[in-house]
Amino acid sequence: MKVRLDAVLNWLGRNSPDVLCLQELKTTDEAFPFAELLDAGYHAVTNGQKTYNGVAILARLEPTDVVRGMGDDDLQARLISAMVGGIRVVSAYVPNGAEVDSDKYVYKLAWLARFSEWFSTSFSTADEIVLCGDFNMAGTELDLHRPAQWEGTVIWNPRMREEYARLTQIGLVDIYRNLNPAAAGYSWWDYRMNGFARNNGLRIDYVMATPALSRKAVSAWIDKAERATERPSDHAPVIVDFDLG
DNA sequence: ATGGCATAATTGTTATGA
């Protein structure tokens, strides 16, 4: 977040979103730049962690009813939720999982199972809920520039396709894919091997919403230009416009 | 089979990401 603060402030200034969800803060709540963001017109609530993980919700309105984590003993800061203007907002950083035969992948699967349970028991899909995050999984072949290159990895394998399907089964609609059924919509490109220049990308960052809210989504797009700036994140912003009436 | 590139922790190197 330190190295990306100027990029975030510039992006907020140019796009003026009502809400921005962040993942991989890699900083503690104490070191988070609340004052700079407030000067730019944004309140922030964070679930930070030193060096790794960390998630936040930025909003023009002050978020209320903040929930950090899933109420368990998970030591990794990967989830935060709050009410913003009558809508439940969730920012999530799904574990990557490293390798399919690793403890990290075991943790990823357990985290996803806990998430579905937590989401289903905490909220009603009749309510307006938006879930934004780095999901570290592709859902269909359209989400990968080179599916064969990724098949069998922690990002793209039969189990991950099931996990993506489970998100829809618990009542979430993938807004970008719903509005853009044929566009790739990559949100991540590898820093290495000229991944961006060759468009060797993945769509692993999603904005999902309950049906009641998804019906109000009018557009969704990936800000690919942000990935082409100086010292960019390897992820690009995913933007959804809702017509809330 | 490995590294490739970047970040945060630190100042030489490791852990992690996807």
Side-chain angles (χ1 to χ4, degrees):
Chain A
M1 186 61 194
K2 283 172 202 161
V3 73
R4 226 69 83 186
L5 177 59
D6 284 345
V8 171
L9 291 172
N10 287 332
W11 195 88
L12 289 171
R14 281 182 280 114
N15 294 276
S16 299
D18 294 312
V19 174
L20 176 66
C21 291
L22 300 174
Q23 296 84 33
E24 274 200 278
L25 304 179
K26 299 185 178 182
T27 193
T28 58
D29 294 345
E30 290 72 25
F32 191 82
F34 290 102
E36 291 88 340
L37 290 166
L38 205 52
D39 284 346
Y42 287 88
H43 300 273
V45 291
T46 61
N47 184 11
Q49 185 177 338
K50 189 175 180 178
T51 311
Y52 305 118
N53 311 312
V55 286
I57 298 169
L58 278 49
R60 289 200 173 280
L61 298 175
E62 189 161 7
T64 61
D65 191 18
V66 182
V67 179
R68 293 175 177 81
M70 293 187 267
D72 52 28
D73 57 359
D74 193 346
L75 297 176
Q76 301 190 24
R78 295 180 174 275
L79 194 81
I80 190 168
S81 168
M83 291 297 294
V84 180
I87 291 174
R88 169 63 60 179
V89 179
V90 184
S91 178
Y93 177 40
V94 176
N96 170 281
E99 309 286 340
V100 288
D101 60 355
S102 69
D103 290 345
K104 290 192 175 75
Y105 188 63
V106 173
Y107 171 76
K108 178 182 195 175
L109 296 180
W111 194 96
L112 287 165
R114 282 190 290 120
F115 175 81
S116 288
E117 179 71 13
W118 171 81
F119 186 88
S120 298
T121 57
S122 299
F123 309 120
S124 164
T125 52
D127 294 336
E128 295 189 335
I129 307 169
V130 62
L131 164 65
C132 310
D134 174 357
F135 287 77
N136 272 316
M137 66 175 79
T140 72
E141 278 204 348
L142 190 54
D143 300 329
L144 308 92
H145 188 66
R146 295 176 183 169
Q149 176 188 313
W150 289 91
E151 181 61 53
T153 67
V154 295
I155 300 297
W156 178 239
N157 64 55
R159 178 60 186 267
M160 284 302 109
R161 295 192 274 279
E162 286 176 22
E163 292 293 341
Y164 176 84
R166 176 153 67 169
L167 293 169
T168 65
Q169 286 155 15
I170 64 173
L172 290 163
V173 178
D174 179 347
I175 301 296
Y176 182 88
R177 183 53 75 229
N178 203 36
L179 295 178
N180 305 278
Y186 304 143
S187 62
W188 177 89
W189 294 262
D190 203 318
Y191 285 124
R192 302 162 296 187
M193 305 291 288
N194 289 316
F196 184 62
R198 285 145 48 132
N199 197 32
N200 189 11
L202 302 175
R203 193 177 76 94
I204 53 174
D205 302 279
Y206 308 131
V207 175
M208 298 193 144
T210 49
L213 183 57
S214 71
R215 283 190 283 273
K216 299 180 178 179
V218 292
S219 68
W221 58 288
I222 314 296
D223 188 0
K224 194 174 173 180
E226 187 66 19
R227 181 62 176 77
T229 58
E230 267 319 278
R231 291 188 85 181
S233 165
D234 44 0
H235 297 258
V238 180
I239 303 100
V240 173
D241 284 311
F242 293 98
D243 183 355
L244 301 177

